[in-house]
């Protein structure tokens, strides 16, 4: 006869079984809370997860899951979220970001820039916080686009410079900080403007645009829009606020190409006047030792990038007119000392003296124009002078002056003369750059500034120049010969000062250079 099973053994077996399931439950709970940052709900994932819901953490979504999510979004915006999406959307990171954007969008709803019926696009939204926030506040027709793999509600693989939407598809476009991150903000702005319907709104967040210059540069990216509101907003875990700008697209306004040229008329905008108020003062009295005074004055120069943010420009260009050798100013000053705010500049060297041309053939990143900057296209005479103050003369590298063939303009000839080709500098500049570019020019043309500057002012091309470093040549006191003035130039210091004053009165940030 079999012995009877003891009640204590049965109880022990039941207890062990119960402890096993409790352990599995607790392990699963700890896993979910640790990985997802959310709470555990029995119906979703406490015991067993569905194998068809692999989506878990933002940024780690598999391509198949992301594609399926995008299909789901296209099939019906605003449809109930799957359990896996609820896991994703309740993580700490997501909730914090979504709550920030929710507060931003709620303010825009109150102000009338956004409504529950708006069809919305979020540009460069790799994590999808913005789209989720729109849906949560009751704006269901919203979608985002990102370049790489993306979470649900965001179209993956979308190139921001070629948005996969028809013209005028949306009532509301949220650009976020996409313009800050873009290396081609002008081209991105054209695409954004294309997708928005007239009369509706574009919202930009930027860490720049804190000064009048950069705010104007941003506005120039959207010529078919008007700025209807600007404010600062605080972002989580950051001591630096963002600027939020609301633009409204105008009816019938054409979208200007990012490669468009400038107009001849040149009004002086308010932001330029503010920049000039921060500039160093001009030297009013003629210095007795100009070679010392003007050189020291360089330390007083307030560069434009030290006054304002130069973001939101299409290209960054430095033009050295009368560049002489590479080390004269391009290598020794501009590339080493000029504050570029981490932007890469295209460099042009304009130098007529053949003695320097061979050197530039070995310099990468410098475009040499082996001609003389002039007021029209014509043959000129080029004189290599022999100035006692010019130490390069001993090396056979004189400083050249140009003049029309057959004319002396009152200049005293002190050196060798030969023929060169001059070109219309104002016309070339107008063809080469636009008002959307950031243009810096250094001009050392041995007296020709009295011909070139009036031409730039008359044609309005001066408006294309953001910052000008000008060496003005006059009959200055000579270092070699105390009490004697240079015989090379007929202009006086007063005429140079008038030229600088005229430029600043015209809104040009010009510096007295040496």
């Amino acid at each position: 006869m079999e012995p009877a099973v003891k009640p204590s053994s049965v109880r022990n077996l039941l207890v062990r079984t119960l402890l096993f399931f409790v352990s599995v439950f607790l392990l699963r709970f700890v896993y979910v809370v640790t990985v997802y940052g959310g709470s555990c709900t029995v119906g979703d994932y406490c015991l067993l997860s569905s194998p068809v819901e692999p989506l878990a953490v933002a940024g780690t979504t598999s391509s198949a899951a992301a594609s399926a999510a995008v299909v789901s979004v296209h099939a019906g915006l605003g449809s109930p979220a799957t359990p896996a999406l609820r896991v994703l959307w309740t993580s700490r990171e997501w909730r914090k970001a979504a709550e920030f954007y929710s507060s931003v969008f709620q303010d825009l709803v109150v102000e009338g820039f956004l409504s529950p019926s708006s069809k919305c696009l979020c540009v460069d939204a790799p994590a999808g916080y913005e789209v989720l926030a729109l849906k949560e506040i009751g704006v269901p027709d919203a979608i985002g686009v990102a370049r790489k793999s993306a979470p649900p509600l965001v179209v993956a693989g979308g190139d921001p410079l070629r948005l996969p939407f028809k013209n005028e598809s949306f009532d509301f476009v949220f650009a976020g900080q996409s313009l800050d991150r873009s290396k081609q903000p002008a081209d991105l702005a054209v695409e954004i403007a294309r997708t928005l319907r007239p009369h509706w709104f574009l919202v930009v967040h930027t860490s720049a645009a804190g000064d009048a210059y950069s705010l104007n540069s941003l506005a120039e990216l959207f010529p078919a829009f008007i700025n209807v509101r600007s404010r600062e907003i605080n972002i989580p875990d950051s001591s630096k606020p963002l600027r939020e700008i609301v633009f409204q697209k105008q009816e019938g306004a054409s979208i200007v190409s990012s490669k468009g040229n400038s107009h001849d008329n040149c009004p002086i905008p308010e932001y330029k006047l503010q920049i000039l108020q921060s500039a160093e003062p001009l030297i009013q009295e003629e210095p007795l030792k100009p070679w010392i005074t003007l050189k020291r004055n360089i330390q007083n120069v307030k560069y434009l990038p030290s006054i304002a943010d130069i973001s939101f420009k299409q290209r960054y260009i430095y033009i050295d007119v009368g560049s002489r050798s590479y080390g004269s100013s391009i290598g020794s000053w501009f590339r080493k000392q000029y504050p570029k705010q981490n932007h890469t500049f295209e460099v042009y060297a304009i130098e007529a003296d053949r003695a320097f041309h061979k050197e530039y053939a070995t310099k990468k990143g410098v475009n040499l124009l082996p001609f003389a900057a002039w007021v029209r296209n014509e043959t000129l005479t080029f004189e290599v002078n022999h100035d006692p103050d010019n130490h390069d003369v001993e090396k056979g590298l004189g400083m050249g002056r140009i003049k029309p063939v057959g004319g002396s303009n009152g200049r005293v000839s002190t050196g060798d003369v030969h023929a060169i080709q001059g070109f219309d500098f104002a016309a070339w500049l107008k063809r080469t750059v636009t008002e959307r570019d950031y243009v810096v020019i250094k001009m050392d043309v041995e007296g020709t500034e009295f011909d070139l500057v009036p031409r730039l002012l008359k044609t309005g091309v001066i408006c294309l120049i953001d910052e000008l470093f000008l060496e003005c040549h006059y009959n200055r006191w000579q270092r070699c010969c105390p009490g004697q003035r240079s015989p090379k130039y007929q202009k006086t210091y007063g005429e140079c000062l008038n030229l600088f004053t005229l430029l600043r009165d015209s809104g040009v940030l010009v510096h007295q250079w040496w």
Side-chain angles (χ1 to χ4, degrees), residues 32-93:
V32 170
V33 172
T34 302
V35 174
Y36 299 112
S39 60
C40 179
T41 57
V42 175
D44 285 342
Y45 47 73
C46 278
L47 293 177
L48 293 175
S49 295
S50 173
V52 297
E53 296 175 355
L55 189 58
V57 181
T60 61
T61 307
S62 68
S63 58
S67 300
V70 171
V71 172
S72 175
V73 170
H74 283 293
L77 293 173
S79 58
T82 64
L85 297 188
R86 288 200 295 272
V87 174
L88 177 64
W89 293 349
T90 55
S91 69
R92 292 186 182 91
E93 177 188 0

Side-chain angles (χ1 to χ4, degrees), residues 9 40 64 69 87 125 145 206-207 220 224 279 299-300 323 355 377 388 442 453 458 485:
S9 300
C40 179
V87 174
V145 62
T206 174
S207 58
E220 285 182 341
Q299 301 175 1
N300 300 324
S323 59
N377 299 324
K442 189 230 75 181
V453 169
K458 182 179 180 179
R485 290 185 179 273

